Amino acid sequence: QLQLVESGGGVVQPGGSLRLSCAASGFILDSYVSGWFRQAPGKEREGVSCISSGVRTYYADSVKGRFTISRDNAKNTVYLQMNSLESEDTAVYYCAVGRRCSSQARDFGSWGQGTQVTVSS
């Protein structure tokens, strides 16, 4: 079965860092676009970043310069390195796979279960 499993979430102080991981099974991850989305309570799901099979990347303006998306093909895993975290970054973070690198959830057809990130003093 195709599966995406996120890990690495937790509680961090403002200004701190976390690295999220998304491990894929049942398919080769680098054959597709990989993306990260987040959703805070009462808000719509928001595109954060994506990386294409050609290693081209996209970042939302709100995270540009602070977050970095990367992929380890040997481990079939995509990562999101998050630095200089702010309270506004608090959300459930989801990884997703699709065929177009964009900020829109409709361009991604497979999703992980999500991992909670909480930025708090």
Side-chain angles (χ1 to χ4, degrees), residues 42-81:
K43 299 183 67 176
E44 296 294 320
R45 191 164 295 187
E46 174 190 21
V48 175
S49 182
C50 55
I51 183 168
S52 73
S53 59
V55 201
R56 291 185 293 273
T57 58
Y58 163 84
Y59 296 95
D61 288 342
S62 59
V63 307
K64 196 172 298 181
R66 300 189 297 119
F67 291 10
T68 304
I69 191 169
S70 63
R71 195 171 58 221
D72 186 332
N73 294 332
K75 296 182 178 180
N76 213 31
T77 299
V78 63
Y79 303 94
L80 185 68
Q81 178 68 46

